[in-house]
Each structure stands twice: as C-alpha cells, then as structure tokens.
Amino acid sequence: MTTAQRLRELAAWLTRHDLADGSVASRLEQTAEGLGRDRLMVAFVAEFSRGKSELINALFFAGHGRRIVPASAGRTTMCPTELAFDPDLLPSVRLLPIETRLEARPLAEWRSAPEAWTHLPLDLGNADQMARMLETVAQVRRVSQATARALGFWSEELAEENPVPGADGLVEVPMWRHALVNIDHPLLRRGLVVLDTPGLNAIGAEPELTVNLLAEAHATVFLLAADAGVTRSDLALWRDHLAPAEGSPEAGHSHLVVLNKVDVLWDQLSTPQQIQEQTERQRAGSAALLGLPPGRVIPVSAQKGLLARIKGDDALLHASGLPLLEEMLACDIVERRHAILHAAVTAGVARMRVEAARLLTMRRREVDDQMLELRGLRGKNANVIAGMRLRVEQEQREFDASEKRIQALRAVHQRMRHEAALLLRGNGDLPREFAVLLQALERPGLKLGARRAYDEAFAGVTARIAQAQDAAREIQAMLEASFRQLNAEHAFSLQVAPAPSLGPQVREIESVAQSHAHHAGLGNAFRLSQPQFAGRLVRALASRVQVVLDDAAAELENWSRAVAAPVDAQLRERRQGFVRRLEAIDRIQQAASGLGERVAELEAQTAELTELEAQVQAWVQLLATPPAVPALPPAEPALA
C-alpha cells in the first residue's frame, strides 16, 4: 500500500471515529493528493551544439532503437519542450504558436486554453512516426523584420543577436513558443518532467522561461562541450540564468553540469591514463569557473551512451558515463524530493496525533466524570436522580448561552483572516507593485531608471508580506486571549499554534529579485526599450511573485483554519457529552437496573478509548518510516 493510500485510509478512519476536525482530515487528503500528482522537473539547459538533444535521446528514447528527438548538426530544439506523462491524455505533441507572444497572457494561462494549441498524435509503437512528430520542435518560419521585432527576435540595438536576413529580407524565427510532449515512459510515469530548452539567445528573449520555468525546476542539468570547456556564451548563460544565488542552500544539490562529448578526448595516440588526466583537468577547470564542487561535473558522451544502449554494449555504456549521470539524478531529485514529501506527511500525521489526543482526552474526562456521578447514585432515590438531571440541563443551558460569545469570536477571526489574505492575494491582474513597474517600463526611451523601479517593486512586495506576518501575530494574540477564557469556563484544552513564519517567502522573493536583477540592468536597457519584451518580463516576474504570495496566503489560511477548527470540535464534543449524560439519566429513571448497566457501558467506553489511543499510535508508527525509494531505472522502451 502506498503512503498516499495510507493517508486516505487514515483520513477516513478519523472521520469514522469522529477524531479529527475538517481541517486535519482535509490536510491529510491534500498531502495524499500531492504525493500522487507530484512532479519533479529537471531542466536541461545548454548553448547550441552541446549535445543536449542527444543526451535526452540516450536517457529517454534509447529503447526505440534510434534517435527520436532531433539531434542533427546545427540548431535543434527551437522552443522550450516539456516531456511528461499524463495518463488522462493520449500520447501527443502539443504546440503553442509563436504568435501568442503578441498577447499579454502568461504561459500559465495558455496551458489552460487547449484550443490555442496544435495537437499532433504520437504512436509509441512507431519510432519513425514519433521522430517525425518531434521534429516539429525544430520548425522555424520566415517573417519580416518588423514581425520578428514584435515577437522579440529582432533589435537594432542588439544587432549581434539578430537572425541573419535572407536575400528577400526575411528572417527565421521559431514556429512555436512552447511544446508539451506526453509519452508513457518509466521515468516520466513516476512524475519526472524534463524541460528541454533552446540556447542563450532564445532564453534571453523569453522571460517566461527564465523567470518561471527554469526557476521552478527542482534540478538543472547544464551541458558543456568537453573539447571547448566553458565558453564565453556558456558562462553568460550560467551567470545570468542558472547560477544558484549566493548562500542558497540548494547550491551543490540542484545543479548538475554535464561535460558532454567527452569521447573527443579518447585519442588513440594517448594512453588511458593521459585521457583520464585530461578529462579531470577539464572537469576541475569547468567546476572552478562555474563555482561548483568538481563532483557536480559529470563527464559524459551522450552519443556513445545512446549507441551503447541501442547495441547492448555494456563496456561502452560504462565508458560513456551515462549510468553515473542517472545515479546522480536519482540521488539529487527523486530521493531529495521524496524526503521533502515525507516531511509533509510527518507534519500532517503529527497534527492528527495532537488533535486526536485532545478529543480522546476530553472524552475520557467526561466518561470519568459520569462514572463518579453514577457510582455516587447507588442507593439514592428517584429525587436525587431527577435533581442530577436538572443540574445537567442547567449546565447545558449555560453552555448554550456562551456560544454567542464564540460566534462573535468567530466573526472577528474571519474578518482578520480576510484582511490578512487581501494583503497577499490582491484583486488585480498584476500585483500592484508590478503594475507600477510596468508603467515605468512602458514610458518611451531607454529605461535608465529601470533598476530603481525594479527594486521598489520587490521592496513593496516584501513589505506586504511583513504586514501579513504582523496580521497573523495579531490573530494569534486575539485567539490566545479568547482560548484562555474558554478553557477556564468550560475545561476545554484549546491551544493556539504559533503563527507561521513567512520568512521563507520573503527569502524566496529576495532570491527572485536577485536572480533576475540583470534584466533591469544597463546591459539590458536596449531590450527593455522594446515594449513587448518589457511587458512579457514584468508579467513573468509578476506571475512568479504571485505564486510566492499565494503560497504565503495559503500558509496563513491553513494555519488560521487549523487553530480555529478545535473550537468547533470541542464544542461538538461537549454538546454530544450533554446528550449522552441526559440519555443515561433517562435510562436510569426508567429501570431499576439501569444504573449498573450504565456503569458497564461507561467501562466499555473507557476500554474503547484505550483501544482508539492505541490505534492512533499505530497509525503514527505506520507513517513514521517512509517506504524505500527505488533508484531511477535505466532507459527503457516506452510502452505502447
């Protein structure tokens, strides 16, 4: 049984035994869904002609006996391409036309507009047909320079980056903006998503790619050519778009560098030792230039690895370095991501245990109180029993009267929670700080003040998160005071968990600002002078920032609901306790033997509570140890 299935069974078990409020059961369900649909994105990034497409062929398509992704000399992947598996969709290639760049909608919105995409079916049992369909990611179209400028591929100020015009004055631009490939493959079936990216110029022209897709990848595989090492364009691509932020805990964990085409160093005039020494020099030199440990640089020959897989040559496969790269991917992505997911499971189970323990303690206290009352009735007459019923009814009326205060508390809490959410979610197309930034960048002329406007936008977002943090602390203080009063009056055991720290969201905003600050620098002033590029950049940044703000809002919302939910649970438990006590007194009044029977019922309830406590502990132990994570399997044929 999977961890997700166990979590769903636990949520159902808690509901069956009325041992968790709605928020606890809901969080368990959400965690189970996250385990089931979690996707692990690996971005493959390289300048042109580094062998990136060949590496993807070797890792994911060798079982087909030929190249599937186009990997011929020259430019291959012209648009960002995602390889993934969705069992609800047929095998296909979906292509988003390049003209969608002319609209302000971000890529995330286009994903939910299937009518805008061109759909091509894939026959997983026909390698030739698959190769023909995947050649579409390399398609280009010829357009005028004016159209290329509007699409972001032409700039008079950055002439060296422009495509070369033909005799007719037309230039080549990618035909597609983005491609989604849905195929059934053992690695992809486990949630792995591969992002294949174009080179430096194409990456720089599409802010959506650098700000969102690359930034959200769980790991990055950066390819270099072993014979060239780190070139100037490689270094620009690394520094501007890939290098981990200084001091980032992810540095050294989420970045792998592949020193590809290492077979060019297999000189027959050199000894194996000389070849090894030369490879190690290239490896160490590349690591030093990129600021990574040498162990993060993997010498690989993708072409020899693909050939070895097709021919079944184990010696050549080992020499290609491909198995070592697969092992590193398994350790860096699957195991590390699994640890994060297991932490979420552990946190959810811990919340369940605390809430279940509170409810069981309340029930045990009520059973013990009733036991004392009933044992004190032995030998007493009907008047004493009737008096006890009146006393319970009076307690019930006093309890019901106190619920008005609780309703008022709930209303105040809801208002404060809504105000905190508004600070983060906003209600416009763009976060207001980025609407101001967009206005600044849309002014004519060079954007020499772009960096100041950029910094002010991110400072404003950080300040809003700080305001939301203060609002959460106010909610915490208000609830603590109210819960103390309720605990004193009704013997509740209400506690307020500390307000969640939004420090991680602040750090992520700061990381986004730092990672993409070069976009607002003087070196990018000419690009920013193009309204289309500036608009795409701001909307991409705003989309990324809004994700962080939504995450912070969700943190506050989940915490706020979680701290309020025990009030409802303990109110419900107390109401049910009054009902049970009155029913027991009625049964005693109706039969002389009722007292003994009721004492026996309470003793049975005590035994049942002890059993429930043992079962809660059993669930905790069952979910405490994560199931073993199998290593990533080697490349296999895709299943038809």
Side-chain angles (χ1 to χ4, degrees), residues 342-371:
H342 178 61
V345 172
T346 301
V349 172
R351 284 192 295 269
M352 175 279 298
R353 182 178 58 80
V354 170
E355 183 58 26
R358 285 179 184 168
L359 293 176
L360 288 171
T361 299
M362 280 188 67
R363 291 182 192 177
R364 188 177 288 279
R365 185 186 301 127
E366 287 193 358
V367 168
D368 291 342
D369 290 344
Q370 290 182 58
M371 188 75 78

Side-chain angles (χ1 to χ4, degrees), residues 398-412 478 482 485-490 567 571:
E398 292 173 356
F399 179 77
D400 291 341
S402 70
E403 286 201 57
K404 293 180 180 179
R405 293 205 317 274
I406 295 174
Q407 292 297 335
L409 167 64
R410 188 176 284 115
V412 172
M478 183 271 294
S482 301
Q485 186 176 0
L486 290 172
N487 291 342
E489 291 180 359
H490 303 296
V567 177
L571 284 173

Side-chain angles (χ1 to χ4, degrees), residues 57-77:
N57 276 316
L59 288 171
F60 297 97
F61 296 104
H64 290 280
R66 58 157 293 172
R67 293 185 178 98
I68 299 297
V69 176
S72 57
R75 297 187 176 190
T76 53
T77 304

